[in-house]
Amino acid sequence: MKNRTSKLSLIITLLSTILIITIGYKALAFAGDFFLRNDTEISYLATDNLTTYVFYSQSEDELNLYPWNYYYDAVSFQTYTGKDIPASYFFDTWDLYNSLTYYFYRMIPEETATLLYEEDIPLYERMDYSDLANDLFVKTVNNEPVFYYSKDLNLPDQTYNLRFTFSYSGLLSFEIKSVSDTLLTDDQMNKSKQFLTDYINSDESNSIAIIYSDIFNQRGLYDTYSLINNSYNKDKYDMEISGNEDLTSGNESITKNSSYQLIENDNEFLIILLENNVVIHYDPLTSMITGFNFSESYMH
């Protein structure tokens, strides 16, 4: 009887190990759609808790997420197009601006947003949107031009870097991040990692799925993408879901038990929704979602 119990225990241990390795391999293979792998090394660290859907990785260097991994030889907009071709020929500027403002005000701290509203200076003026072409760089990726923007904005409380990429099909990535030369301590990052793990494994985990749904569809479910103060518009959410336990975005379906990979980067965590081809940026200092990147396979 004792031998049978030992054999059963061994089999369970082996199956559990295979499960962790398989999911971990899937996570790293999937990450190849986002990262320039020959410039960065990602080490897999498996969780020892089989009841969780969170897997950790660490990077030795700052990661280049798609499509920024193609940015290395991008050229200025006018070099790419010529001076006689207006920017509006390549993209619908007002649709783009509406998307930028939608994400911008949801991904900055509420205190910063309040100060901006008090100053009554629109994002249009702060980023000099009328001359957007002067700040754009372009690179042909998969036979399609990808436009790159990265610029520091002096906001009332501090300086933020706004960067985004887009193509004919829309925004590929967006991030608004405070500019700082100080790295968070190991203790701060470890506490943040624990908070994210507990959050994802709790009943609140659907909030990340709802945020992703709102990023994808721009339904106005949230006024802010904070994980601390993350109440959403329940009426709009109920209309979207209509009693379905799955959260549907386009052709994608997110369930509570989706798998997540957390990658520790400089002063942030990258949350990879493994079933949905998207990376979400998380700021440990503000506990806010501060950006997103769709993967290359997702966009094609």
Side-chain angles (χ1 to χ4, degrees):
M1 182 68 179
K2 186 176 181 180
N3 288 337
R4 178 181 294 180
T5 303
S6 299
K7 288 180 180 179
L8 181 59
S9 177
L10 178 61
I11 291 172
I12 293 174
T13 301
L14 288 174
L15 290 175
S16 300
T17 302
I18 291 171
L19 175 64
I20 292 176
I21 292 175
T22 300
I23 297 178
Y25 176 80
K26 174 188 173 183
L28 289 183
F30 176 84
D33 285 334
F34 292 95
F35 308 134
L36 190 64
R37 297 303 298 279
N38 58 356
D39 275 2
T40 58
E41 292 185 16
I42 304 172
S43 61
Y44 167 60
L45 300 176
T47 176
D48 58 0
N49 183 356
L50 292 180
T51 65
T52 187
Y53 295 91
V54 184
F55 300 87
Y56 303 123
S57 297
Q58 292 178 330
S59 62
E60 294 185 356
D61 304 299
E62 188 170 2
L63 299 173
N64 290 313
L65 294 179
Y66 173 80
W68 289 95
N69 52 355
Y70 289 105
Y71 181 66
Y72 54 92
D73 60 352
V75 298
S76 68
F77 181 86
Q78 290 186 342
T79 299
Y80 186 88
T81 63
K83 295 183 179 181
D84 297 329
I85 303 178
S88 57
Y89 180 84
F90 285 86
F91 54 90
D92 185 339
T93 53
W94 284 108
D95 276 354
L96 174 62
Y97 180 68
N98 289 339
S99 291
L100 294 177
T101 55
Y102 187 89
Y103 297 127
F104 177 80
Y105 288 103
R106 285 167 172 78
M107 293 183 181
I108 58 175
E110 290 183 85
E111 301 79 19
T112 304
T114 300
L115 293 173
L116 291 177
Y117 288 128
E118 289 174 352
E119 286 192 351
D120 197 25
I121 300 176
L123 179 61
Y124 191 98
E125 293 183 21
R126 292 185 183 277
M127 62 180 295
D128 199 12
Y129 190 81
S130 60
D131 292 322
L132 180 64
N134 293 333
D135 296 314
L136 290 178
F137 283 78
V138 191
K139 162 80 175 181
T140 299
V141 179
N142 297 320
N143 299 316
E144 182 179 30
V146 172
F147 301 89
Y148 297 86
Y149 176 97
S150 180
K151 190 175 183 179
D152 287 348
L153 304 181
N154 294 318
L155 302 187
D157 54 349
Q158 64 184 88
T159 300
Y160 287 80
N161 177 255
L162 171 63
R163 74 177 201 162
F164 56 87
T165 61
F166 61 95
S167 66
Y168 294 135
S169 56
L171 279 172
L172 306 176
S173 69
F174 179 96
E175 185 179 8
I176 180 73
K177 190 175 183 179
S178 61
V179 176
S180 174
D181 294 327
T182 304
L183 290 177
L184 297 180
T185 65
D186 290 341
D187 184 57
Q188 287 175 305
M189 295 299 285
N190 287 333
K191 286 181 179 178
S192 180
K193 182 169 70 174
Q194 188 61 53
F195 168 78
L196 274 176
T197 303
D198 293 342
Y199 186 91
I200 290 172
N201 287 318
S202 73
D203 291 337
E204 298 293 330
S205 62
N206 268 356
S207 294
I208 291 179
I210 301 171
I211 288 175
Y212 165 71
S213 176
D214 195 63
I215 287 173
F216 189 91
N217 292 312
Q218 296 186 24
R219 303 292 191 186
L221 298 177
Y222 284 90
D223 294 324
T224 176
Y225 291 156
S226 168
L227 297 193
I228 299 296
N229 180 23
N230 65 342
S231 59
Y232 57 89
N233 188 318
K234 191 175 186 307
D235 291 338
K236 288 186 178 180
Y237 173 70
D238 289 342
M239 286 174 55
E240 293 263 331
I241 304 307
S242 298
N244 193 338
E245 292 183 359
D246 289 352
L247 305 179
T248 303
S249 302
N251 294 323
E252 303 292 337
S253 179
I254 312 170
T255 65
K256 180 179 178 181
N257 291 336
S258 293
S259 298
Y260 299 84
Q261 185 185 16
L262 301 183
I263 297 181
E264 184 177 327
N265 203 18
D266 287 346
N267 278 7
E268 70 170 352
F269 280 96
L270 305 176
I271 307 173
I272 303 182
L273 279 67
L274 294 177
E275 285 82 9
N276 299 95
N277 294 314
V278 64
V279 167
I280 293 176
H281 297 260
Y282 174 78
D283 184 344
L285 203 57
T286 62
S287 301
M288 293 195 66
I289 302 300
T290 57
F292 64 88
N293 290 71
F294 295 120
S295 76
E296 188 167 0
S297 62
Y298 179 89
M299 300 308 299
H300 298 90

